[in-house]
């Protein structure tokens, strides 16, 4: 393969938009009508069309760059979106038109090819940031729940053999920077500067293009698994169960027993199935925030530190070892998590399958009612995860009541260990 011409492969960074060239299509975040709101255009094929910072599938951008560099992918490839539209539609809901309720995803992201068809016809490269499809999932624990009589095979939701019928949505992050800053109570300029510096200057437009207010960050997104009738999600007369789960690859996929993540995920799915079979609906929100958003390398380093400390793995040192390695106990920032619930049209959760006060407070402070909190059954806690549970109890991670006062919330800030 011939080497690329190094002279022609230079990069020009501009400090401001071209004052004399065409302006990108504006984005009026929070507008109820998609054409008034404007499309999210993160194309790399035509610079003048870009109206956001970053790229689609940002967490995979480096792989895409490798594919282009090696000749496996044409840099000007434009996606053929024929027959890719959602198998079922979600929304629109009133929350889509509230710029304070949704700031971290594009509510129109699943229907971009439909609602912005006129822009497609003009040659704009607009890509969906949400995809909705249907599938079967199968986890051995669900078949065990059937065998023990906790779940029933109904042939529609739960199939023979343990297959569970779900609707699932994959969501890429789309950040409205003024809204993100407002959500965290910080200045937008401070947010932009921190994002620019902590990505090693990867996105200079964060500090040079104040006119671009939307950022597609290079982080993992969210997958939503829905069990039962989608219409029941926003129906106040139908029960709704929700499990918000933060990724834990070691437990969720490989069954590591040092934490309660997979058992709690499976228990959440089980409650969702039971609720759906009662005529309601269940929702699993799976967030890519491995190791409390500290990453898996940090997570494993902490495991080593915990096991090797004097006296062995102890609940009283559980949080301290994480902070020693990472400098902070938790970086998941649940403040952004309720956005996906608003996208789904959720206003009340009858069964919240979680012990986390931070998740509870983030959801209720976002205006969503939680009727009941469902803890993990004692018999599902692995023996090696007892240290985790005891640490949570000592730290005030969860309470018997539903509402934390300001002092209690301060005590558990940063101490949210559940997946």
């Amino acid at each position: 393969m011939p080497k690329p011409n190094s002279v022609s492969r230079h990069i020009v960074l501009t400090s401001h938009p071209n004052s004399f060239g065409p302006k990108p299509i504006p984005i009026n975040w929070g507008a109820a009508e998609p054409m008034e709101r404007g499309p999210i255009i993160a194309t790399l094929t035509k610079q003048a069309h870009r109206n956001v910072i970053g790229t689609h599938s940002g967490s995979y951008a480096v792989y895409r760059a490798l594919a282009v560099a090696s000749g496996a992918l044409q840099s000007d490839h434009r996606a053929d979106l024929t027959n890719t539209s959602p198998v079922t539609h979600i929304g629109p809901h009133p929350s889509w038109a509230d710029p304070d309720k949704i700031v971290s995803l594009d509510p129109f992201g699943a229907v971009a090819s439909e609602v912005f068809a006129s822009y497609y016809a003009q040659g704009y490269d607009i890509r969906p940031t949400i995809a909705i499809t249907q599938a079967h999932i199968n986890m051995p624990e669900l078949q065990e729940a059937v065998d023990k009589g906790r779940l029933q095979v109904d042939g529609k939701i739960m199939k023979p053999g343990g297959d569970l019928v779900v609707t699932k949505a994959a969501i890429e992050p789309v950040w409205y920077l003024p809204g993100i800053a407002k959500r965290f109570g910080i200045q937008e300029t401070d947010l932009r500067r921190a994002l620019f510096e902590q990505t090693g200057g990867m996105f200079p437009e964060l500090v040079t293009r104040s006119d671009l207010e939307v950022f597609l960050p290079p982080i993992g997104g969210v997958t939503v698994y829905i069990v039962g009738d989608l219409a029941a999600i926003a129906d106040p007369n139908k029960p709704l169960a929700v499990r918000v789960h933060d990724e834990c690859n070691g437990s969720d996929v490989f069954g590591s027993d040092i934490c309660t993540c997979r058992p709690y995920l499976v228990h959440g799915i089980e409650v969702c199935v039971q609720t759906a079979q009662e005529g309601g609906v269940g929702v699993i929100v799976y967030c890519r925030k491995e190791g409390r958003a500290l990453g898996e390398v940090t997570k494993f380093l902490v495991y080593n530190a915990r096991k090797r400390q004097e006296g062995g793995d102890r609940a009283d040192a559980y949080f301290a070892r994480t902070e020693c390695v990472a400098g902070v106990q938790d970086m998941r920032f649940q403040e952004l998590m309720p956005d996906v619930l608003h996208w789904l049209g959720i206003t009340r959760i009858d069964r919240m399958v979680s012990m986390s006060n931070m998740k509870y407070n983030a959801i209720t402070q976002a205006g969503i009612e939680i009727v009941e909190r469902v803890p993990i059954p004692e018999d599902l806690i692995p023996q090696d995860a007892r240290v985790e549970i005891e640490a949570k109890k000592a730290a005030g991670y969860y309470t018997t009541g539903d509402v934390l006062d300001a002092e209690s919330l301060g005590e558990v800030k940063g101490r949210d260990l559940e997946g």
Side-chain angles (χ1 to χ4, degrees):
M1 180 183 300
K3 293 183 178 180
N5 186 330
S6 59
V7 175
S8 64
R9 294 173 69 87
H10 66 283
I11 299 174
V12 177
L13 300 180
T14 57
S15 61
H16 54 78
N18 187 335
S19 300
F20 304 100
K23 302 295 184 183
I25 297 170
I27 298 173
N28 301 306
W29 196 269
E33 295 298 323
M35 288 297 287
E36 180 186 352
R37 202 293 304 274
I40 301 297
I41 308 174
T43 179
L44 298 175
T45 59
K46 197 163 186 178
Q47 189 71 23
H49 285 179
R50 289 173 55 80
N51 63 357
V52 303
I53 304 166
T55 68
H56 292 299
S57 303
S59 61
Y60 293 96
V62 173
Y63 287 110
R64 187 166 59 242
L66 285 175
V68 170
S70 66
L73 173 66
Q74 294 298 312
S75 61
D76 60 352
H77 172 73
R78 181 169 173 174
D80 179 355
L81 298 175
T82 304
N83 294 329
T84 63
S85 59
V87 296
T88 186
H89 281 78
I90 292 175
H93 297 290
S95 53
W96 291 22
D98 188 333
D100 290 329
K101 287 189 175 179
I102 298 179
V103 299
S104 62
L105 60 88
D106 176 12
F108 300 106
V111 291
S113 61
E114 302 171 30
V115 297
F116 300 120
S118 61
Y119 284 120
Y120 275 99
Q122 297 175 53
Y124 285 89
D125 183 11
I126 304 170
R127 305 191 183 188
T129 57
I130 300 176
I132 304 172
T133 190
Q134 291 178 332
H136 290 179
I137 63 173
N138 192 306
M139 303 176 77
E141 294 94 334
L142 296 180
Q143 182 58 53
E144 181 181 341
V146 171
D147 295 340
K148 293 184 176 180
R150 296 196 305 271
L151 294 180
Q152 304 298 318
V153 173
D154 55 40
K156 181 179 179 182
I157 296 172
M158 181 66 72
K159 302 278 189 175
D163 280 353
L164 178 62
V165 179
V166 299
T167 299
K168 59 182 183 179
I171 304 173
E172 291 181 0
V174 177
W175 285 11
Y176 176 57
L177 293 174
I180 297 283
K182 183 178 180 181
R183 184 78 59 89
F184 285 92
I186 59 179
Q187 294 296 315
E188 184 185 344
T189 52
D190 293 337
L191 171 64
R192 285 174 173 266
R193 174 62 62 177
L195 289 169
F196 172 71
E197 292 177 348
Q198 294 304 313
T199 56
M202 187 182 298
F203 302 99
E205 292 166 316
L206 285 165
V207 292
T208 64
R209 294 289 303 272
S210 60
D211 61 309
L212 299 182
E213 296 184 323
V214 175
F215 175 43
L216 276 59
I219 58 175
V222 174
T223 309
V224 179
Y225 292 84
I226 302 169
V227 183
D229 181 12
L230 270 70
I233 292 177
D235 187 340
N237 299 312
K238 301 288 181 67
L240 170 65
V242 172
R243 165 70 183 166
V244 176
H245 190 91
D246 292 322
E247 179 182 28
C248 177
N249 185 64
S251 178
D252 296 342
V253 179
F254 294 99
S256 171
D257 64 354
I258 198 172
C259 62
T260 59
C261 294
R262 181 180 173 99
Y264 218 150
L265 174 61
V266 174
H267 179 58
I269 296 173
E270 187 174 323
V271 173
C272 285
V273 174
Q274 292 169 342
T275 304
Q277 290 181 331
E278 293 169 5
V281 63
V283 174
I284 301 291
V285 177
Y286 194 88
C287 307
R288 295 316 191 289
K289 298 177 182 177
E290 178 63 62
R292 284 174 261 157
L294 302 172
E296 206 165 29
V297 169
T298 295
K299 184 178 185 178
F300 288 7
L301 293 175
V302 172
Y303 284 168
N304 288 344
R306 284 170 49 193
K307 297 291 186 179
R308 288 172 175 165
Q309 65 190 340
E310 184 178 352
D313 196 6
R314 309 191 316 271
D316 63 336
Y318 191 99
F319 300 98
R321 296 312 301 148
T322 300
E323 194 162 4
C324 285
V325 175
V328 66
Q329 295 172 357
D330 195 315
M331 291 198 304
R332 284 178 290 179
F333 294 111
Q334 302 293 359
E335 289 90 339
L336 298 179
M337 173 266 293
D339 289 22
V340 66
L341 305 180
H342 286 306
W343 175 69
L344 291 166
I346 293 174
T347 57
R348 187 193 71 206
I349 298 171
D350 296 281
R351 299 166 186 164
M352 180 68 187
V353 191
S354 174
M355 297 162 68
S356 167
N357 284 328
M358 290 181 71
K359 292 176 184 175
Y360 174 87
N361 281 280
I363 292 170
T364 55
Q365 288 169 10
I368 298 173
E369 178 188 3
I370 294 178
V371 178
E372 177 188 3
R373 300 167 72 177
V374 181
I376 186 172
E378 282 288 323
D379 61 349
L380 294 183
I381 301 173
Q383 185 58 40
D384 203 28
R386 290 287 169 180
V387 171
E388 172 197 352
I389 292 297
E390 292 306 315
K392 289 178 178 179
K393 289 180 180 178
Y397 166 82
Y398 59 91
T399 59
T400 54
D402 282 337
V403 180
L404 289 176
D405 58 29
E407 182 179 355
S408 298
L409 182 58
E411 290 176 357
V412 302
K413 182 77 172 173
R415 296 188 174 185
D416 192 353
L417 306 188
E418 172 192 284

